[in-house]
C-alpha cells in the first residue's frame, strides 16, 4: 500500500522512473483491459500507449484525491478503448450486438481465473434485477447509456440512476469482501 | 454549492465507460476543480477496477508471479539500452514537434509505429531538441535532437545543401569545431548523427568554406 502511494506521488510529480514502474506493473493488465474491448493485440497496445502518453503529457490528468492510480488507469484505458470501438463502429456502421464475453481469446495471457470471475458474477447477482441489467450491459456489453436506454426501453434518466445505484451497491459488495 | 451542481450519476457512468467523449471532457473539467467529485469518481473507479480484477487476474504489487509476467511483457517493448533509444528519440521529438520540420516521413516514422509512442514520454524527459536559426539571408530548415547526457546528437534538416557541415559550439569558451561527418540524404530530408560527441553548448551549420549559415539558440537546454 505504501509502495502504491509512493508511486502515485512520483507519478504526479512526473518522475520518469514512475512512468517506468507504472509500465512494468500495469502494462499487461491495461492491455488486457483494452483487448477485451478492442479485440486485436496491437490495437490494444496502441490504445494503452496513446493513452499513457496523453496522461503523462497532460498536467491535470491524475491527482492524488482521485485515489488509486491503478484504478484510474484501468478506467481511463477502458474509456479510451470504448471510445475507439464506438468510433470504429460508427465508421463501419457495424451493429453492436456482439457481447464481449470471450475473455479467453488472449491465449498468451494469464488464463482466466474462474474463481475470480465467479466472484464478479456473485457480486453482480446481489444487485436487484433492474440494476444488474444495466450494469452488466455497461460492463460486459460495452454499451453507452443511450444504447442501453434503447435496448431496454428505458428513459436515459432511469438508466443513469440505476447505474449509479448499482455501482454503489457493488462497491459495498467488493470492499466488504476485499482480498 | 447544491448537490445538483455535482454530476454524481454521471460519475458512475464515467467509471463504467458509458459516456461519450464530450460528456467525459465535461466531467474531467469538473473533477479537476472539485475535490469531492474527484474522490467520488475515484471510488467508482476502484469498483470498476475490482470488477476488472475479477475478470482478469493480472499483475499486482503483491504477486511475484504476476509481476514477472508484467516485467517480461514490458521488457519486450522497453529497450534498456539508451543507444537504442536514439532513433526513437528523434522520432518522438519530431512527432511531438510536427510542424517545425513538417515531416515525419523518415525511417523513424516506422520506428515510432513499431515501437512505443509511449516511449516518447520517457524519451522527452531524457532528450531535448533545438531549432537552427538561419543567419543572413540563408533559408535553413533544420533542428537538432540530443541526449541531455551529452552522449549523442542528431541533426535533421530538410532541403539542405548536403555539403553543409555541423560545427559544435563547446561549453568552454564557445569554440566551434567542425565535425567531419556528412549529412545522409533521405529524399528531401537529411540527417547527421554523432554518437559520442564532445560536450556541446550549441551547434552551427557551415558551408564548405566555413561560413556559418545557421546556429542553434545557445545554450540549448543541455545537461540536467
Ligand atoms: Zn463536484
Amino acid at each position: 500500500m505504501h509502495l502504491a502511494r509512493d508511486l502515485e506521488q512520483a507519478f504526479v510529480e512526473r518522475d520518469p522512473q514512475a512512468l517506468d514502474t507504472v509500465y512494468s506493473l500495469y502494462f499487461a493488465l491495461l492491455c488486457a483491459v483494452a483487448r477485451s474491448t478492442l479485440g486485436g493485440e496491437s490495437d490494444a497496445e496502441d490504445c494503452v500507449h496513446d493513452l499513457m502518453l496523453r496522461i503523462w503529457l497532460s498536467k491535470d490528468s491524475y491527482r492524488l484525491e482521485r485515489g488509486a492510480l491503478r484504478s484510474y488507469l484501468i478506467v481511463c484505458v477502458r474509456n479510451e478503448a470504448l471510445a475507439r470501438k464506438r468510433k470504429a463502429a460508427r465508421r463501419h456502421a457495424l451493429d453492436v450486438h456482439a457481447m464481449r464475453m470471450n475473455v479467453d481469446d488472449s491465449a498468451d495471457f494469464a488464463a482466466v481465473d474462474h474463481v475470480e470471475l465467479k466472484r464478479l458474477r456473485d457480486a453482480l447477482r446481489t444487485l436487484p434485477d433492474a440494476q444488474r441489467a444495466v450494469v452488466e450491459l455497461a460492463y460486459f456489453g460495452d454499451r453507452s447509456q443511450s444504447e442501453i436506454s434503447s435496448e431496454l426501453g428505458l428513459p436515459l434518466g432511469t438508466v443513469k440512476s440505476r447505474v449509479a445505484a448499482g455501482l454503489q451497491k457493488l462497491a459495498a459488495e467488493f470492499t466488504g469482501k476485499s482480498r | 454549492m447544491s448537490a445538483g451542481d455535482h454530476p454524481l450519476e454521471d460519475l458512475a457512468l464515467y467509471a463504467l465507460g458509458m459516456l461519450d467523449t464530450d460528456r467525459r471532457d465535461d466531467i474531467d473539467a469538473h473533477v479537476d476543480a472539485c475535490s469531492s467529485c474527484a474522490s467520488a469518481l475515484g471510488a467508482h473507479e476502484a469498483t470498476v477496477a475490482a470488477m476488472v480484477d475479477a475478470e482478469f487476474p493480472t499483475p499486482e504489487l503483491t504477486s511475484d508471479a504476476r509481476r514477472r509476467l508484467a516485467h517480461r511483457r514490458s521488457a519486450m517493448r522497453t529497450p534498456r539500452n539508451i543507444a537504442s533509444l536514439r532513433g526513437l528519440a528523434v522520432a518522438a521529438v519530431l512527432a511531438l514537434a510536427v510542424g517545425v520540420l513538417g515531416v515525419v516521413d523518415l525511417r523513424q516514422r516506422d520506428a515510432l509505429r513499431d515501437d512505443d509512442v509511449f516511449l516518447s514520454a520517457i524519451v522527452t524527459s531524457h532528450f531535448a531538441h533545438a531549432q537552427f536559426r538561419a543567419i543572413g539571408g540563408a533559408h535553413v530548415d533544420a533542428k537538432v535532437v540530443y541526449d541531455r547526457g551529452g552522449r549523442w546528437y542528431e541533426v535533421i534538416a530538410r532541403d539542405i545543401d548536403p555539403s553543409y557541415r555541423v560545427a559544435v559550439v563547446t561549453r568552454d569558451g564557445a569554440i566551434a569545431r567542425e565535425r567531419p561527418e556528412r549529412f545522409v540524404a533521405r529524399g528531401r530530408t537529411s540527417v547527421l548523427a554523432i554518437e559520442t560527441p564532445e560536450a556541446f553548448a550549441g551547434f552551427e551549420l557551415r558551408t564548405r568554406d566555413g561560413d556559418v549559415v545557421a546556429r542553434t539558440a545557445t545554450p540549448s537546454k543541455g545537461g540536467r
Side-chain angles (χ1 to χ4, degrees), chain B residues 55-195:
Chain B
E55 200 186 355
F56 310 106
T58 38
E60 293 265 17
L61 287 165
T62 49
S63 162
D64 269 343
R66 288 170 178 176
R67 205 177 193 163
R68 274 199 304 278
L69 176 65
H71 274 297
R72 199 184 64 219
R73 291 176 65 85
S74 66
M76 294 189 314
R77 304 190 61 86
T78 310
R80 294 284 170 234
N81 183 352
I82 287 290
S84 70
L85 281 175
R86 184 168 61 82
L88 199 55
V90 172
V93 169
L94 279 178
L96 293 174
V98 172
V100 180
L101 274 179
V103 285
V104 192
D105 60 338
L106 304 168
R107 64 194 153 85
Q108 282 90 355
R109 189 174 64 175
D110 295 332
L112 194 64
R113 183 154 299 160
D114 294 340
D115 282 283
D116 299 340
V117 171
F118 147 82
L119 267 179
S120 59
I122 290 184
V123 153
T124 49
S125 61
H126 292 296
F127 307 99
H129 56 106
Q131 185 76 21
F132 279 94
R133 304 240 169 84
I135 289 167
H139 171 80
V140 175
D141 193 357
K143 68 188 309 185
V144 58
V145 181
Y146 58 91
D147 165 23
R148 289 182 196 275
R151 282 161 293 188
W152 57 263
Y153 59 84
E154 179 159 333
V155 179
I156 304 146
R158 187 161 65 166
D159 296 333
I160 199 177
D161 182 336
S163 71
Y164 280 178
R165 304 291 176 85
V166 170
V168 177
V169 181
T170 58
R171 283 178 181 140
D172 48 346
I175 298 159
R177 193 175 79 76
E178 234 174 74
R179 297 286 312 197
E181 291 84 352
R182 298 299 190 87
F183 276 97
V184 176
R186 295 188 178 89
R188 295 177 64 191
T189 304
S190 301
V191 297
L192 188 156
I194 305 293
E195 287 286 356

Side-chain angles (χ1 to χ4, degrees), chain A residues 24-25 29 41 45 49 53 60 63 66 70 78-79 86 103 108-109 113 116-117 139 160-161 171 179, chain B residues 9-10 13-14 16-17 31-32 35 41-42 45 47 53-55 57-59 70 73 77 116-118:
Chain A
S24 310
L25 290 172
L29 168 64
E41 177 84 23
E45 294 193 356
H49 295 318
L53 179 63
D60 315 311
R63 45 190 264 201
R66 192 78 165 246
R70 184 178 180 280
R78 255 193 116 239
N79 274 327
R86 284 178 192 136
V103 289
D108 71 325
F109 202 70
D113 181 337
E116 287 301 307
L117 199 52
Y139 183 76
K160 280 191 187 198
S161 57
R179 293 179 258 187
Chain B
E9 289 182 340
D10 275 354
L13 272 67
Y14 183 114
L16 272 170
V31 163
D32 229 24
S35 292
L41 177 54
E45 286 173 340
T47 305
D53 285 338
E55 200 186 355
T58 38
R73 291 176 65 85
R77 304 190 61 86
D116 299 340
V117 171
F118 147 82

